[in-house]
């Protein structure tokens, strides 16, 4: 430990090495033949593995005392009163996010080898994956909002190329353009926020912003505008209602691209909200607005998700709902819980997309409890018992939810999660199975609270505390959350059978079409890109192309001595 105190920047160097390694693997050009593809995919896989090892080294160095941020240089900005620093944040948030992203990238790189094996463009895909992943690693380790914004620009460019990987699919091209439209608007809002923060505080560093916000009294209008711009960027980056259409329609890209986006890049909005939480809590109206938008998104997306028939579409709507859930947690000031949600859902969503091919087999299997729908009494018992278990968990951890709105919100969120376990468990005929469901609910509630406390202990020093949790607007958001979750649970439970048949059919039809809001968004986006832009593809002779590729591979193989 004493040796590391002499090199307190070692953790920062290890973090900086992560994006550099991946970006270097994307640089060497490759030929469009099998040996080129093998070389590129192997290089990217090893680069992802080395990035993960660098993350583990950074974590070990941090635990041994190397906790100083890395500040390399500052770039003067003409016409502005602040410089752009190239700095790496060394703290709990950057370490956990960097490790998470590196792990997900390694899994995706490994999965892509077999998924795209034989594709003539596999080498290009591998390089784009390394480029996008490298810059997204820079996003999560950036020590200031300026570098964060620039890295987001580059990440968006790489992701746009991946979304258009199959250039002969008109829907893929249009969906990518639509996504680009909202992403560029979000990038513009982040750029405005960056300038306002720099002009108002004289610094872009996340750590310095946090210290200044703790000591500041009244915020100037420029910083309030910056907070609203950040909230707007979060809404657009997180595909909140009514801007969720692009996230649903970009499923034409290869499955590894969907996994990369839904398990990583799409969380950039939540990440900047966590990093700038010290500013957002000083503008509570903006933060509460984000919470209301998140609540609206999670309510509608959860209902729409149950009507989808395509596996990827269902997963996309699920991501939309979970992103709304994160924004709701952010709006309620539950920043450690939002970070925990981000980490857990990223791992779950990566697995869901990469295993989406086997989902149809799982759906054919009859659930252990059968296909019975819960009755009103079963649903009520599950909700009440879940609230009691969740409230008991808060009491065990020494908190009184009736005196703390923040803990009341946490109790409701955990109760909703374990209520689903109880309701499904009560559908079993065996008493032993029902008792087991209650035991599982107790265990899951305890795990939720334990993880939350661990994240509070580990990351609360880098996150703000909502000072206005007793205000009317906050209590209104909390009340709307409780009512919405109860209604959502009821509609997915006994309400499904209690509603009139005609009303069920009408709701199903409208929800299946996403309430048609995306139709108006399409009209708006098509004003910038017509349906014919970039999608007029010449006729292709696939048989001839296959023969040409085989002949080219054979020639390369012979010239290399027949080894692959």
């Amino acid at each position: 430990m004493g040796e590391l105190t002499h090199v307190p920047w070692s953790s920062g160097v290890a973090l900086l090495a992560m994006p550099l390694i991946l970006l270097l693997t994307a640089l060497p050009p490759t030929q469009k033949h099998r040996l080129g593809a093998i070389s590129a995919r192997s290089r990217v896989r090893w680069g992802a593995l080395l990035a993960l090892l660098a993350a583990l080294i950074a974590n070990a160095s941090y635990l041994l005392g190397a906790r100083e941020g890395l500040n390399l240089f500052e770039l003067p900005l003409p016409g502005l009163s602040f410089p752009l620093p190239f700095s790496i944040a060394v703290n709990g948030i950057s370490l956990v996010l960097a490790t998470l992203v590196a792990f997900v990238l390694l899994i995706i790189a490994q999965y892509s080898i077999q998924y795209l094996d034989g594709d003539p463009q596999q080498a290009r895909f591998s390089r784009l994956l390394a480029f996008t992943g490298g810059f997204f690693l820079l996003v999560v380790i950036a020590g200031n909002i300026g570098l964060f914004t620039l890295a987001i620009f580059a990440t968006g460019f790489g992701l746009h190329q991946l979304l258009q990987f199959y250039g002969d699919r008109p829907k893929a091209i249009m969906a990518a353009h639509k996504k680009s439209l909202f992403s560029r608007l979000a990038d513009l809002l982040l750029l405005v926020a960056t300038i306002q923060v720099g002009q108002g505080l004289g610094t872009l560093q996340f750590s310095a912003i946090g210290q200044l916000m703790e000591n500041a009294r009244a915020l100037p209008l420029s910083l309030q505008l910056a907070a609203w711009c950040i909230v707007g960027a979060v809404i657009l980056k997180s595909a909140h209602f009514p801007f969720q259409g692009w996230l649903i329609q970009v499923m034409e890209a290869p499955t590894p691209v969907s996994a990369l986006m839904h398990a990583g890049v799409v969380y950039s909005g939540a990440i900047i909200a966590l990093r700038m939480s010290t500013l957002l809590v000083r503008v509570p109206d903006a933060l509460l607005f984000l919470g209301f938008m998140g609540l609206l998104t999670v309510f509608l997306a959860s209902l729409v998700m149950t009507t989808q028939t395509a596996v990827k579409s269902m997963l996309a709507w699920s991501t939309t709902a979970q992103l709304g859930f994160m924004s709701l947690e952010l709006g309620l000031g539950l920043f450690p819980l939002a970070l925990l949600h981000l980490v857990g859902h990223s791992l779950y969503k990566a697995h869901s997309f990469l295993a989406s091919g086997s989902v149809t087999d799982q759906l054919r299997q009859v659930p252990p409890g059968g296909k019975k729908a819960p009755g009103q009494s079963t649903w009520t018992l599950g909700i009440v018992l879940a609230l009691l278990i969740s409230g008991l968990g808060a009491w065990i951890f020494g908190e009184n939810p009736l005196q703390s709105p923040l803990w009341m919100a946490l109790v409701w969120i955990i109760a909703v999660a374990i209520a689903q376990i109880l309701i499904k468990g009560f559908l079993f005929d065996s008493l032993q199975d029902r008792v087991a469901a209650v035991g599982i609910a107790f265990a899951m509630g305890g795990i939720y609270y334990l993880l939350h406390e661990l994240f509070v202990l580990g990351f609360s020093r880098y996150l703000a505390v909502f000072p206005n949790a007793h205000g009317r607007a906050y209590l209104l958001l909390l009340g709307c959350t409780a009512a919405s979750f109860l209604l959502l649970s009821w509609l997915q439970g006994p309400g499904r059978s209690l509603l009139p048949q005609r009303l069920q059919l009408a709701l199903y039809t409208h929800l299946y079409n996403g309430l048609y809001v995306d139709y108006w968004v399409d009209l708006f986006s098509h004003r910038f890109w017509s349906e014919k832009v970039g999608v007029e593809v010449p006729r292709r002779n696939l048989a001839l192309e296959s023969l040409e590729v085989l002949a080219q591979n054979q020639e390369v193989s012979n010239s290399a001595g027949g080894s692959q």
Side-chain angles (χ1 to χ4, degrees), residues 59 180 326 373 486:
N59 280 274
S180 178
M326 287 181 207
L486 284 175

Side-chain angles (χ1 to χ4, degrees), residues 160-487:
H160 186 74
Q161 302 304 313
L162 285 171
L163 292 175
Q164 295 185 112
F165 183 73
Y166 293 128
D168 56 347
R169 299 182 179 181
K171 290 184 178 180
I173 299 297
M174 283 307 303
H177 284 317
K178 184 177 177 181
K179 186 265 180 189
S180 178
L181 176 65
F182 292 113
S183 292
R184 297 297 77 77
L185 179 57
D187 293 343
L188 178 61
L189 291 175
L190 280 178
L191 181 61
V192 172
T194 300
I195 295 174
Q196 294 298 327
V197 168
Q199 293 289 90
L201 298 177
T203 180
L204 299 177
Q205 298 280 30
F206 290 129
S207 57
I209 292 171
Q211 296 174 0
L212 292 172
M213 287 298 100
E214 289 179 0
N215 302 322
R217 295 184 179 180
L219 291 188
L221 183 60
S222 60
L223 292 180
Q224 296 182 39
L225 174 63
W228 280 100
C229 287
I230 292 173
V231 167
V234 174
I235 291 173
L236 292 171
K237 290 285 187 183
S238 303
H240 286 351
F241 187 88
F243 310 110
Q244 80 289 339
W246 64 265
L247 188 62
I248 314 301
Q249 297 168 1
V250 292
M251 294 296 102
E252 292 282 338
T255 296
V257 179
S258 300
L260 174 65
M261 183 170 62
H262 287 255
V265 179
V266 78
Y267 300 119
S268 59
I271 293 172
I272 189 59
L274 290 170
R275 288 291 179 83
M276 296 295 292
S277 60
T278 52
L279 171 62
L280 295 180
V281 295
R282 298 299 306 273
V283 189
D285 291 344
L287 197 58
L288 290 171
F289 178 76
L290 176 62
F292 276 108
M293 290 296 294
L295 178 60
L296 177 64
T297 301
V298 68
F299 182 81
L300 294 176
S302 297
L303 290 176
V304 174
M305 180 185 66
T306 60
T307 66
Q308 301 304 298
T309 54
V311 173
K312 276 193 172 184
S313 181
M314 180 179 63
L315 290 174
W317 278 105
S318 171
T319 300
T320 304
Q322 295 299 327
L323 289 170
F325 209 153
M326 287 181 207
S327 290
L328 174 61
E329 292 162 347
L330 292 169
L332 290 169
L334 300 172
F335 299 117
L337 183 62
L339 180 60
L340 171 60
H341 192 169
L342 189 157
V343 173
H345 188 258
S346 175
L347 295 173
Y348 164 74
K349 195 58 67 173
H351 173 267
S352 297
F353 270 96
L354 297 182
S356 59
S358 61
V359 171
T360 52
D361 295 330
Q362 299 173 16
L363 293 177
R364 293 191 186 102
Q365 301 175 3
V366 178
K371 294 187 176 181
K372 296 182 293 184
Q376 185 67 40
S377 58
T378 301
W379 176 82
T380 303
L381 178 61
I383 294 293
V384 172
L385 187 55
L387 284 172
L388 292 176
I389 294 174
S390 185
L392 178 62
W395 178 78
I396 291 175
F397 280 89
E399 296 291 341
N400 185 357
L402 298 178
Q403 297 179 355
S404 173
L406 282 172
W407 272 87
M408 177 63 74
L410 182 62
V411 166
W412 267 106
I413 290 173
I414 294 179
V416 168
I418 61 179
Q420 304 306 312
I421 299 175
L422 292 168
I423 293 172
K424 292 180 180 179
F426 291 159
L427 296 179
F428 288 92
D429 296 326
S430 171
L431 178 62
Q432 182 179 357
D433 292 333
R434 297 181 180 183
V435 173
V438 176
I440 294 174
F442 268 102
M444 291 303 298
I447 292 173
Y448 273 121
Y449 276 112
L450 179 60
L451 289 174
H452 176 261
E453 286 301 298
L454 290 176
F455 269 65
V456 169
L457 291 174
F459 305 105
S460 58
R461 75 189 72 172
Y462 315 114
L463 301 170
V465 177
F466 203 150
N468 196 28
H470 293 82
R472 292 183 178 180
Y474 186 93
L475 296 178
L476 176 61
L477 176 58
L478 183 56
C480 290
T481 300
S484 299
F485 282 176
L486 284 175
L487 178 58

Side-chain angles (χ1 to χ4, degrees), residues 482-543:
S484 299
F485 282 176
L486 284 175
L487 178 58
L488 184 61
S489 178
W490 183 81
L491 288 173
Q492 294 177 340
R496 183 178 301 182
S497 58
L498 294 177
L499 291 176
Q501 190 71 24
R502 293 183 62 182
L503 181 58
Q504 289 187 47
L505 181 60
L507 285 175
Y508 180 88
T509 302
H510 299 318
L511 290 173
Y512 179 81
N513 291 282
L515 300 180
Y516 310 101
V517 295
D518 199 50
Y519 170 76
W520 303 103
V521 179
D522 280 339
L523 291 180
F524 172 76
S525 60
H526 287 175
R527 290 178 178 270
F528 296 87
W529 289 290
S530 69
E531 295 183 358
K532 295 183 179 180
V533 173
V535 297
E536 291 186 0
V537 182
R539 296 189 175 214
R540 301 172 56 187
N541 190 328
L542 297 180

